[in-house]
Every structure is written in structure tokens, then in C-alpha cells.
Amino acid sequence: MEEITAQEVCNWLEGQIGNSLTIQKKEQQDIDQIEFALDNVGLMGSSETFDSYILPQTIVLRGNGSIETEEGQMQKLPEDVYEIPFIGIIQGIQNENGLMLQTERAYYSISQLNPQNT
């Protein structure tokens, strides 16, 4: 993996607007499996303060999503938003099969739910 910026991730995700994505998030011993129909992508918190401290960025995915419960059932996300916080140095790989990210807090694997052959 190599260092990747929030803008590079947003660019890849913008190419996925209109698609359904599978997002797997691994944080410590917890694994979340999310299905998300992506409608829009945004980037928040990219401002610089008066003392040159750069605030952490968050990628905001908008659309309809659901998360797999411990019982294996799919449950709708409480809001039509999913956030990926970018804190510190982010490592990632992006290719035609998907996107893998390693942040300070979690590992994310993002791919199309049902990719179409082109």
C-alpha cells in the first residue's frame, strides 16, 4: 500500500455514484459489513486553522445503506450517510476491483456489490 489522499479516494468514489457498494470495515476486533447505494460523495473538514493546524478530513457518502447485524440480518443504517474519517497518514490501494484503505483507526475494503462486466 502507498500513501493516498482523501481527494484521491473521493475521486474513485465519485466514479462509483449510482452503484451499490460493499464496505467492509475492520476496527480492532469489530468487523462491519455494509451495503450502500451511493448517491453522492463529499469531503468535510479540510480547512486549515489560523495556527496552520490542518483539521482531520472526513469522506461523507450519501445514499441508502444497511449493515449486517451479529445475527446475520441486514438492518437499515440510521441515517442516509456513511463517514470515513481521515486522520493521520492513510495508506491505500485503488484498482478496477475496488479500494482498500488503512487509516489510524480502521481498515476499509470497498468494492461494487454486483459489478457489471464491461
Side-chain angles (χ1 to χ4, degrees):
M1 282 197 214
E2 60 186 42
E3 191 171 337
I4 191 168
T5 67
Q7 188 59 57
E8 289 172 316
V9 174
C10 281
N11 291 345
W12 186 88
L13 287 165
E14 285 171 355
Q16 303 303 315
I17 290 175
N19 292 326
S20 292
L21 303 176
T22 297
I23 303 170
Q24 184 180 66
K25 175 186 172 189
K26 297 178 185 176
E27 186 173 11
Q28 296 176 356
Q29 302 301 317
D30 187 37
I31 298 175
D32 292 337
Q33 188 79 25
I34 295 123
E35 292 180 3
F36 200 85
L38 186 61
D39 293 334
N40 200 352
V41 178
L43 186 59
M44 291 187 343
S46 60
S47 61
E48 191 172 318
T49 63
F50 69 93
D51 60 357
S52 297
Y53 176 76
I54 297 180
L55 297 172
Q57 296 177 313
T58 300
I59 295 174
V60 180
L61 308 180
R62 296 190 186 279
N64 294 311
S66 54
I67 186 167
E68 188 174 333
T69 65
E70 290 180 8
E71 296 80 30
Q73 302 293 318
M74 296 306 287
Q75 180 178 2
K76 184 170 174 15
L77 291 174
E79 298 182 31
D80 291 338
V81 172
Y82 186 78
E83 296 181 350
I84 302 174
F86 260 55
I87 301 169
I89 297 173
I90 310 303
Q91 300 290 314
I93 297 173
Q94 54 183 326
N95 58 40
E96 65 279 356
N97 298 321
L99 179 67
M100 291 175 279
L101 300 172
Q102 178 70 54
T103 71
E104 287 184 4
R105 291 181 46 191
Y107 170 84
Y108 297 86
S109 176
I110 305 171
S111 59
Q112 283 190 23
L113 185 59
N114 295 309
Q116 300 293 321
N117 293 333
T118 55

